[in-house]
Amino acid sequence: MGILSKKDAALIKDPLFDNNPITIQVLGICSALAITAELKASIVMALSVLFVLGVGNVVISLMRNIIPSKIRIIVQLIVVASLVIIVDLVLKAFAYELSKTLSVFVGLIITNCIIMGRFEAFALGNGPWKSFLDGVGNALGYGVILVIVGFFRELLGSGTLLGFKVLGDPIEKTGLYAIGYENNGFMLLSPMALIVVGIIIWVQRSKNKTLIEEA
Amino acid sequence: MEYIELFFKSIFIDNMVFATFLGMCSYLAISKKVSTSVGMGAAVIFVLTVTVPLNWLLDQYILQEGALAWLGPEFAEYDLSFLSFIMFIATIATMVQLVEIIVEKFSPALYNSLGIFLPLIAVNCAILGGSLFMQSREIPSFGLAVTYGVGSGIGWFLAILAIAAIREKIRYSAVPPALRGLGITFIITGLMAIGFMSFGGMLTGGDEEKKDTKPEVEAKLELDKKKKEESAKIIAANNTINE
């Protein structure tokens, strides 16, 4: 990383694993669970959050000295809401079908706790460049979990990835289905998202014992 | 009758936490103790009860397509619905600030224990989600909007109360170290959500509207099933022809 100093690189790297917004900071769970039945929706959601968080962090960081602390929440919400309206309109224009699948969850990016959490915890106290890196890092950490959950739910639930039938055709009994494999429709239902995230947390904490919570 | 129906539907069938996963962040973070979770739950009920009807009025008289007709015929063509995110969230943020001031004044203990999460109630997805679902489900009257707000608030309260009670008890169980805390809470919530899915049968039985409000996933499952049946028919037809 030539252009990034060690500290700056850590801003991007930390949230990806050891300080992941979803599994460690417990932020932004709602959308992570509701839209991950398909990989494509997960990716679009991750990109939208990347845009909103990256740009929003910079904007808030630039304004941090002129926002009165009493009304900072409203100011932050207005900034996010404007960015989300942009995302929503772009999605409606270029990917209408997808924006129907995501339904209210695009709007709910506004209340995605990751965004407010990062504004409060980082952008209000740091310069624009660092805030940008922090925003990108956290959005990527969020995206990683989203993509992992989406991957497993779509693969096990409908036997497809991004719509491609990777496990063969369930109707014509090709591929894995020829030897009696069945899709687990249960994976498509929302409760399974919770359990998949629970398992991700389990794996992550077994690997890195320092993250284990005290009872 | 429709009030009671919507009320129970918003508590159990469309439960904020278990059916739509809204407000998960504060749900997971505040549910370590029953006492704080009761405070948080009460705050959510209150804020939802106020904001959903308020936003309903906003939606009906300002934002919807043609909603400005009461100003005069020349305004009838305006469609401001793209502004709804920003209008809803502004209403909510104002209300939350109000609640914060009231709680700080009358119950400093609760204020201290809720800590950072009281301002975060503004970004509690359950609150904005309540307003957005109110809009997308086209709730027809003011009374129903109030019912919907109260109902979903109570549903959220119920969920956080249940998980807090379970988490207090689970401390005495031998949970694998890596699952302790957050991990096991996720899995328990998943199991509870599966349990809550069984309420889905409560309002069916000749209920035609039920079909429209079905979660997309279920609808998709059904579509897949239909496709399967159709292709099975085609294959069967082909077979008979071949024979």
Side-chain angles (χ1 to χ4, degrees):
Chain A
M1 294 231 179
I3 38 166
L4 297 175
S5 68
K6 227 177 184 182
K7 252 186 183 169
D8 287 351
L11 282 178
I12 289 205
K13 234 193 282 168
D14 275 357
L16 276 184
F17 305 104
D18 290 346
N19 198 16
N20 189 285
I22 293 184
T23 58
I24 310 296
Q25 302 175 33
V26 208
L27 296 173
I29 315 280
C30 333
S31 51
L33 300 172
I35 46 91
T36 46
E38 282 172 41
L39 189 55
K40 202 173 166 193
S42 317
I43 292 174
V44 170
M45 191 69 182
L47 289 179
S48 316
V49 170
L50 183 68
F51 168 76
V52 174
L53 191 51
V55 178
N57 247 359
V58 173
V59 174
I60 291 293
S61 166
L62 287 173
M63 297 201 300
R64 70 185 187 280
N65 294 325
I66 52 169
I67 303 176
S69 70
K70 277 271 170 204
I71 58 156
R72 64 176 195 283
I73 290 180
I74 297 184
V75 175
Q76 290 165 357
L77 284 175
I78 300 293
V79 171
V80 191
S82 322
L83 290 170
V84 170
I85 289 176
I86 297 176
V87 170
D88 189 41
L89 291 179
V90 168
L91 275 183
K92 270 188 187 144
F94 295 107
Y96 189 71
E97 286 300 311
L98 209 59
S99 80
K100 280 276 169 241
T101 328
L102 293 174
S103 72
V104 296
F105 289 98
V106 177
L108 287 173
I109 295 178
I110 300 173
T111 53
N112 192 320
C113 333
I114 289 183
I115 292 175
M116 291 298 282
R118 290 331 289 174
F119 284 2
E120 285 277 306
F122 201 90
L124 279 177
N126 289 284
W129 173 239
K130 277 191 170 167
S131 305
F132 177 70
L133 292 178
D134 179 78
V136 170
N138 276 285
L140 286 179
Y142 169 84
V144 164
I145 301 289
L146 233 68
V147 168
I148 294 176
V149 178
F151 177 83
F152 282 110
R153 283 183 73 191
E154 189 175 345
L155 185 68
L156 299 177
S158 8
T160 56
L161 282 178
L162 292 172
F164 295 109
K165 293 178 175 140
V166 286
L167 295 183
D169 198 314
I171 298 161
E172 287 163 11
K173 300 279 177 206
T174 57
L176 261 187
Y177 298 97
I179 53 172
Y181 176 82
E182 283 287 337
N183 282 330
N184 185 358
F186 206 53
M187 291 298 287
L188 290 178
L189 297 175
S190 31
M192 283 312 290
L194 281 162
I195 294 178
V196 173
V197 176
I199 293 171
I200 293 176
I201 293 175
W202 193 358
V203 172
Q204 190 185 19
R205 293 189 182 183
S206 311
K207 280 196 168 164
N208 188 347
K209 303 271 187 221
T210 50
L211 299 176
I212 292 175
E213 287 174 45
E214 308 223 340
Chain B
M1 188 56 209
E2 56 179 338
Y3 287 91
I4 299 173
E5 195 181 310
L6 184 68
F7 184 66
F8 282 105
K9 202 174 154 196
S10 52
I11 294 182
F12 293 111
I13 300 173
D14 293 330
N15 186 291
M16 281 282 179
V17 175
F18 297 128
T20 46
F21 296 119
L22 297 179
M24 287 299 283
C25 316
S26 25
Y27 166 85
L28 290 168
I30 307 266
S31 60
K32 284 193 182 111
K33 270 198 209 147
V34 170
S35 51
T36 44
S37 68
V38 169
M40 185 70 184
V44 168
I45 295 184
F46 179 72
V47 176
L48 265 177
T49 313
V50 179
T51 54
V52 171
L54 258 180
N55 284 334
W56 185 85
L57 289 176
L58 264 180
D59 188 43
Q60 289 291 311
Y61 293 107
I62 297 179
L63 296 173
Q64 264 182 15
E65 195 176 355
L68 284 173
W70 56 274
L71 275 179
E74 67 269 31
F75 291 99
E77 283 178 8
Y78 285 88
D79 180 9
L80 295 179
S81 52
F82 70 94
L83 281 177
S84 48
F85 292 160
I86 218 164
M87 293 292 274
F88 286 176
I89 202 70
T91 320
I92 290 166
T94 324
M95 278 313 301
V96 168
Q97 212 107 43
L98 199 68
V99 174
E100 195 180 345
I101 293 167
I102 294 172
V103 173
E104 190 178 6
K105 175 87 182 157
F106 290 106
S107 174
L110 182 64
Y111 182 77
N112 287 334
S113 63
L114 289 182
I116 184 179
F117 287 99
L118 204 54
L120 279 186
I121 207 179
V123 289
N124 188 328
C125 343
I127 311 286
L128 181 65
S131 291
L132 288 178
F133 274 123
M134 174 271 298
Q135 192 189 31
S136 72
R137 285 177 191 163
E138 290 167 4
I139 288 188
S141 75
F142 185 76
L144 283 173
V146 177
T147 318
Y148 182 71
V150 180
S152 16
I154 293 178
W156 200 88
F157 178 84
L158 210 67
I160 196 171
L161 193 65
I163 194 76
I166 293 177
R167 281 180 85 170
E168 279 198 357
K169 288 286 172 204
I170 212 163
R171 228 166 278 157
Y172 307 108
S173 325
V175 179
L179 263 182
R180 240 181 256 151
L182 192 60
I184 195 71
T185 313
F186 264 102
I187 292 177
I188 293 173
T189 312
L191 295 177
M192 284 165 86
I194 294 172
F196 263 69
M197 278 169 61
S198 58
F199 284 115
M202 225 164 66
L203 283 186
T204 47
D207 190 0
E208 288 304 317
E209 274 179 9
K210 182 67 189 149
K211 274 192 180 139
D212 303 334
T213 53
K214 224 179 232 173
E216 272 152 33
V217 183
E218 272 177 47
K220 206 187 152 202
L221 274 180
E222 216 156 72
L223 204 78
D224 282 352
K225 218 178 169 186
K226 261 186 203 158
K227 269 189 202 161
K228 241 188 214 173
E229 278 168 10
E230 269 170 27
S231 47
K233 259 182 211 163
I234 294 171
I235 292 171
N238 280 343
N239 285 344
T240 47
I241 291 168
N242 287 341
E243 279 164 16

